[in-house]
């Protein structure tokens, strides 16, 4: 934010606020010298006037002097009074004119004299009123401080900030000037209690309107008419939004991610901010048409018409279907334990009638090594078995659930969903898909997870029951639970007991126990018959807690503090024999069996026998040693904590690298991909000095300093399989870091020109940008004819 322009009006103290020609630059030394000279001349003038008045009073009281002199003095005094009035009116006119011309500037008015005192309003008879005596000049903060130090009284006026939005009613210049003195601007009035500006509120309203008019599939693929009929009612209801998908294509990727998330939340009537504030990591939420969400009493979907209900059922279409799973099994060689599980929740068969989860995956097989290679006992490596589609569907028909462990590996729509949600959540987002046959089938035992789970019901129906965490220690757990039995949760009332239907979503925080099964077949058939259920679980926040960040920082902080060159405190030996007074067995802080003499600290020696007194002395001595030990331990712990505070940024870099390693490769939209190296022929594929650049998508790369090198990590080469491809960082010299930082922090809708990067040579700037473009993480745009005056490579 630029500082407001400041202006300075120079003139005599008795004519402050006068006009004059406008000066251009700052206040020079000559101007300061003239100001001092003028102040000195004014003081001399005032002394002469005071001396003249004293002389008149003396002559009037004594009656001396001739009549001509007396008459002359009286007429001269009257003439001077009229002259003062004329000068005052003229100065007021000049001040009004100056304010009208310079209403948006900050006036610094020199006004030491009292303008209302006629006796003090004397003109400078012996000084010329020219540009040197009175002018308006723009001054710096330093010059302002100088003027104030010289006793010049100043009045500051803030420049009124112009709003980007044009308002219907405009105030004239005088009103603007008067409003600027109030101390509050229009921009301040536009900021609400949450710190949100009017412009930000308008943007949120637009994104929310898009989310309410588009299905999640339409948000993911705005250029594809996935459901043309669904938009007819939308266009009629909201004429202002003629083509929401066209608007969506012009949004940034982060705004599009917000639209996607709010489109998932749309039936609940919640905005993303309301969801994060009320439900995120706190309690579950049912998002269903014409159903009540958890902890609310209002209808969150509305009765709706038949068409609206149908739109709700189809709003999650085209993400994943049973036909897609059939195609994957037939064509993609899914392996047990890697991409596929087959399970059921049934009687364990041990006579206890206790249901347990039973996994029907085929065990890995040992593959023999090639001839000529030595092999140990048993020989070969264990390899997962590729699932036979016939076996999978046979188990499915008998009531087993088919779980896809990595559906996004073979589904572009699921991959795009996860990649976009990663922009919204700022952490890795994974997924599993669960296909369960109808007829009261269940695949998994009651349990809780270590993820924020979003259950997207895609096909069929499934009954879900959700229970609160068992205790505070298992709220927001870092690990998933063991399988519970029905006896474990017996007597606990579920907070949610509902049947999810297509289009419904269930959100559950970490630690909330849940289990689900398909309802009995509508036709009364046996298990495995009737409607199947397919849902997709999108998971977030796994191992993404403060504890995970401290797991990185604290060990490194301890190592750094121990290796300190300025202190040896952490390397000093422990006190001799400290094990004889430290530990749980010596802790008497909560010991009710402590000697009576220790409890009665004020007891007198005469009131105790010899044994009690000796025990009291021993306990007090031990307490002093314990306190001393804890004091020394606390000093060293604080030293480590102080070191850890200096390593927060380094720890964030480490967990940021982990995020890049864990996350999905970016699922670029056609508008994004056309600017990257995937379309070299269309965008030229060559970096020039006047090429415009920016990061292909926010957050896909990170710059860290390691071993005196600038190392750039990115996820452009990631596999859709978790850790399927290791990171391949780019190494640069430390001198390249400023240019790299500028490229990585320039994201849509902004661009930066290669020649404007911070670096010594234009050739180096071009080579840095070219390497990022070749890696697939830089988007380029050539708006002008390429500047071929500089060549590289």
């Amino acid at each position: 934010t630029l500082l407001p322009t400041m202006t300075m009006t120079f003139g005599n103290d008795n004519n402050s606020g006068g006009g004059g020609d406008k000066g251009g630059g700052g206040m020079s030394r000559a101007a300061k010298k003239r100001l001092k000279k003028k102040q000195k001349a004014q003081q001399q003038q005032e002394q002469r006037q005071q001396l003249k008045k004293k002389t008149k009073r003396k002559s009037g009281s004594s009656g001396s002097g001739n009549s001509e002199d007396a008459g002359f003095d009286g007429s001269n005094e009257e003439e001077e009074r009229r002259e003062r009035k004329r000068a005052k009116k003229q100065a007021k006119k000049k001040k009004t004119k100056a304010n009208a011309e310079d209403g948006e500037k900050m006036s610094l008015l020199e006004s030491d004299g009292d303008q209302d005192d006629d006796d003090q309003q004397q003109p400078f008879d012996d000084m010329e009123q020219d540009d040197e005596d009175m002018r308006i000049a723009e001054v710096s903060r330093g010059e302002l401080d100088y003027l104030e130090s010289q006793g010049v009284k100043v009045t500051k006026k803030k420049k009124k900030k112009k709003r980007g939005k044009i308002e219907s009613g405009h105030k004239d210049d005088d009103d603007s000037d008067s409003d600027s003195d109030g101390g509050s601007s229009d921009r301040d009035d536009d900021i609400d209690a949450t710190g949100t500006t009017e412009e930000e509120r308008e943007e949120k309203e637009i994104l929310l309107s898009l989310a309410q008019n588009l299905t999640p599939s339409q948000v993911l693929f705005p250029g594809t008419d996935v459901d043309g009929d669904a938009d007819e009612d939308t266009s009629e209801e909201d004429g202002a939004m003629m083509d929401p998908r066209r608007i969506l294509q012009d949004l940034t990727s982060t705004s599009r991610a917000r639209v996607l998330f709010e489109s998932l939340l749309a039936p609940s009537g919640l905005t993303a901010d309301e969801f994060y504030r009320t439900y995120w990591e706190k309690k579950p939420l049912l998002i269903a048409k014409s159903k009540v969400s958890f902890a609310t009493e209002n209808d969150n979907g509305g009765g709706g018409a038949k068409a609206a209900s149908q739109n709700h059922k189809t709003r999650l279409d085209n993400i994943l279907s049973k036909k897609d799973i059939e195609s994957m099994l037939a064509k993609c060689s899914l392996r047990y334990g890697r991409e596929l599980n087959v399970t059921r929740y049934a009687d364990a068969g041990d006579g206890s009638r206790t249901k347990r989860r039973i996994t029907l995956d085929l065990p890995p097989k040992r593959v023999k090594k090639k001839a000529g290679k030595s092999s140990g006992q048993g020989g070969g490596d264990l390899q997962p078995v590729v699932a036979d589609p016939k076996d999978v569907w046979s188990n499915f028909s008998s009531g087993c659930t088919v779980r896809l462990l990595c559906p996004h590996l073979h589904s572009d729509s699921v991959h795009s969903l996860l990649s976009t949600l990663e922009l919204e959540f700022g952490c890795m987002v994974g997924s599993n898909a669960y296909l369960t046959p109808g007829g009261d089938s269940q695949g998994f035992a009651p349990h809780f997870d270590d993820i924020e789970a979003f259950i997207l019901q895609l096909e069929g129906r499934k009954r879900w029951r959700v229970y609160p965490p068992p205790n505070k220690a298992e709220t927001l757990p870092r690990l998933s639970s063991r399988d519970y039995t029905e006896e474990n949760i017996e007597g606990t009332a579920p907070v949610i007991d509902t049947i999810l239907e297509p289009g419904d979503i269930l959100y559950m925080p970490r630690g909330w126990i849940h289990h689900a099964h398909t309802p009995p077949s509508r036709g009364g058939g046996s298990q495995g018959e009737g409607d199947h259920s397919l849902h997709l679980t999108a998971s977030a926040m796994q191992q993404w807690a403060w504890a995970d960040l401290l797991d990185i920082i604290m060990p490194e902080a301890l190592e750094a503090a121990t290796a300190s060159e300025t202190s040896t405190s952490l390397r000093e030996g422990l006190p001799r024999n400290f094990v004889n007074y430290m530990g749980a067995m010596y802790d008497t802080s909560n010991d009710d069996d402590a000697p009576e003499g220790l409890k009665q600290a004020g007891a007198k020696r005469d009131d105790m026998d010899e044994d009690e007194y000796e025990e009291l002395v021993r306990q007090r001595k031990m307490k002093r040693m314990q306190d001393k030990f804890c004091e020394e331990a606390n000093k060293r712990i604080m030293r480590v904590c102080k070191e850890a505070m200096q390593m927060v940024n380094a720890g964030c870099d480490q967990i940021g690298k982990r995020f890049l390693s864990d996350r999905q490769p970016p699922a670029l939209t056609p508008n994004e991909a056309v600017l990257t190296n995937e379309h070299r022929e269309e965008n030229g594929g060559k970096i020039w000095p006047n090429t415009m650049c920016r990061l292909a998508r926010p957050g896909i790369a990170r710059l860290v300093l390691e071993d005196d090198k600038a190392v750039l990590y990115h996820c452009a080469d990631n596999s859709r399989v978790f850790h399927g491809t290791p990171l391949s960082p780019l190494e640069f010299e430390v001198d390249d870091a400023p240019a790299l930082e500028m490229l990585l922090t320039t994201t849509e809708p902004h661009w930066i020109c290669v020649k404007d990067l911070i670096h010594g040579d234009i050739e180096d700037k071009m080579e840095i940008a070219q390497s990022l473009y070749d890696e697939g993480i830089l988007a380029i745009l050539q708006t002008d004819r390429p500047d071929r005056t500089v060549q590289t490579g």
Side-chain angles (χ1 to χ4, degrees), residues 457-504:
Q457 188 68 26
L458 305 178
E459 294 178 357
R461 303 162 70 241
K462 204 167 195 178
R463 181 182 179 184
W464 285 82
R465 279 170 282 190
V466 182
Y467 306 84
N471 50 61
K472 193 69 173 179
E474 293 179 295
T475 302
L476 299 178
R478 299 183 67 194
L479 297 174
S480 297
S481 73
R482 70 186 193 284
D483 285 346
Y484 290 98
T485 64
E486 293 181 351
E487 290 75 13
N488 295 141
I489 58 176
E490 187 177 2
T492 303
V495 294
I496 288 181
D497 187 349
T498 188
I499 295 179
L500 294 185
E501 298 182 352
D504 295 345

Side-chain angles (χ1 to χ4, degrees), residues 159-286:
K159 181 179 178 180
K160 186 175 181 179
K161 297 182 180 178
K162 296 182 179 180
R163 295 287 299 158
K165 179 180 177 182
I166 301 177
E167 299 178 354
S168 57
H170 296 281
K171 296 181 179 181
D172 55 25
D173 292 341
D174 293 338
D175 292 340
S176 299
D177 290 341
S178 62
D179 290 344
S180 65
D181 290 331
S184 61
S185 64
D186 291 343
R187 186 173 182 87
D188 295 333
D189 295 337
D190 292 337
I191 299 177
D192 60 17
T194 62
T196 304
T197 64
E198 181 181 359
E199 183 178 352
E200 292 171 338
R201 291 194 297 271
E202 291 176 354
E203 181 181 354
K204 287 183 178 181
E205 291 175 0
I206 293 174
L207 298 184
L208 183 60
S209 179
L210 288 172
Q212 294 171 343
N213 286 276
L214 293 172
T215 67
S217 296
Q218 290 171 331
V219 177
L220 291 172
F221 307 104
T224 304
D225 191 3
V226 294
D227 191 3
D229 297 335
D231 286 340
E232 293 180 1
D233 297 335
T234 300
S235 299
E236 293 178 1
E237 293 176 0
D238 190 0
M241 187 177 294
M242 299 303 295
D243 190 352
R245 280 171 291 187
R246 180 62 181 272
I247 299 175
L248 188 69
Q249 290 179 330
D250 296 331
L251 294 180
T252 64
S253 56
T254 51
S255 296
R256 192 167 58 253
R258 174 54 61 94
V259 173
L260 172 63
F261 186 53
E262 291 194 326
S263 71
L264 295 173
L265 297 173
S268 70
L270 296 170
T271 65
D273 292 337
E274 291 169 342
F275 169 80
Y276 291 133
R277 185 167 53 249
T278 307
Y279 293 96
W280 183 253
E281 294 190 322
K282 296 180 179 68
K283 56 187 176 182
L285 171 68
L286 174 62

Side-chain angles (χ1 to χ4, degrees), residues 544-605:
W544 201 249
W546 281 102
D548 298 294
L549 177 61
L550 295 180
D551 269 349
I552 297 172
I553 295 176
M554 296 308 293
E556 303 230 358
L558 176 59
E559 182 178 351
T562 302
S564 172
E565 296 181 357
T566 60
S567 174
T568 62
S569 62
L570 287 168
R571 301 194 295 270
E572 293 174 357
L574 291 165
R576 293 184 301 276
N577 297 320
F578 78 95
V579 293
N580 292 333
Y581 56 86
M582 293 300 301
M585 62 184 294
Y586 299 108
D587 186 8
T588 59
S589 57
N590 296 314
D591 192 357
D592 294 334
D593 297 329
E596 195 65 26
L598 184 61
K599 295 179 181 179
Q600 300 175 358
K604 297 181 179 180
R605 171 70 178 85

